[in-house]
Amino acid sequence: MYGELIPVGGGDPIPLLRKTLVVGRGEACDVVLRFANVSARHCRLELEDGYWLVSDTDSRNGTRVNGGRIDRKRLMPGDLLALASHKYEIRYSPSQNGACGPPPPEGEEEDVFGQTLLERAGLERRRQSEAG
């Protein structure tokens, strides 16, 4: 086990059993969350260099880390992950997952000119022609 998601407000912990997991409402997902406001393929969790990263997969109601909407973000132990309105605390040990030293950089920087200010603030959805 590489960690777990603890539902805020109660419920059974969700074990993170593989290094790559698709989370969503769809039955084909690795972690199935049967809530109407969770997208069929809501987000992807990936273990990289001992640290979990979450990527939103164009979900309808968004993915947030510690209250901020994200496209891709590293999850540190104790961070709060929200999928639509459902919140989970992530618990894991980077060193037990193979981390050596501080977390690696989060990856390539976003193109700040690729989105409008409203999109960057999470107040406007990407236009359909750009989203897919």
Side-chain angles (χ1 to χ4, degrees):
M1 187 167 79
Y2 298 101
E4 57 188 356
L5 295 175
I6 309 297
V8 173
D12 294 331
I14 300 168
L16 304 175
L17 300 174
R18 289 189 285 190
K19 293 182 179 184
T20 301
L21 300 162
V22 175
V23 181
R25 191 182 70 245
E27 292 299 321
C29 292
D30 302 304
V31 176
V32 178
L33 300 175
R34 291 181 177 89
F35 302 110
N37 61 347
V38 171
S39 295
R41 292 177 53 89
H42 201 96
C43 68
R44 180 181 179 92
L45 294 170
E46 298 172 273
L47 190 64
E48 291 183 12
D49 299 322
Y51 293 89
W52 282 102
L53 287 105
V54 61
S55 301
D56 185 80
T57 52
D58 291 325
S59 66
R60 181 175 174 99
N61 291 311
T63 302
R64 298 182 189 285
V65 174
N66 297 326
R69 192 167 183 148
I70 60 94
D71 286 321
R72 180 174 164 88
K73 177 95 174 126
R74 177 179 306 106
L75 294 168
M76 298 302 289
D79 276 353
L80 193 64
L81 174 65
L83 309 176
S85 61
H86 308 280
K87 297 177 182 165
Y88 303 87
E89 178 188 342
I90 187 162
R91 291 188 188 161
Y92 73 100
S93 168
S95 61
Q96 288 180 356
N97 288 343
C100 298
E106 291 217 30
E108 58 190 63
E109 292 186 28
E110 286 185 55
D111 176 11
V112 296
F113 299 107
Q115 294 179 310
T116 68
L117 289 174
L118 290 173
E119 287 171 335
R120 290 186 54 76
L123 300 173
E124 179 178 291
R125 294 192 163 278
R126 289 186 202 154
R127 286 164 278 214
Q128 286 295 68
S129 62
E130 295 175 5

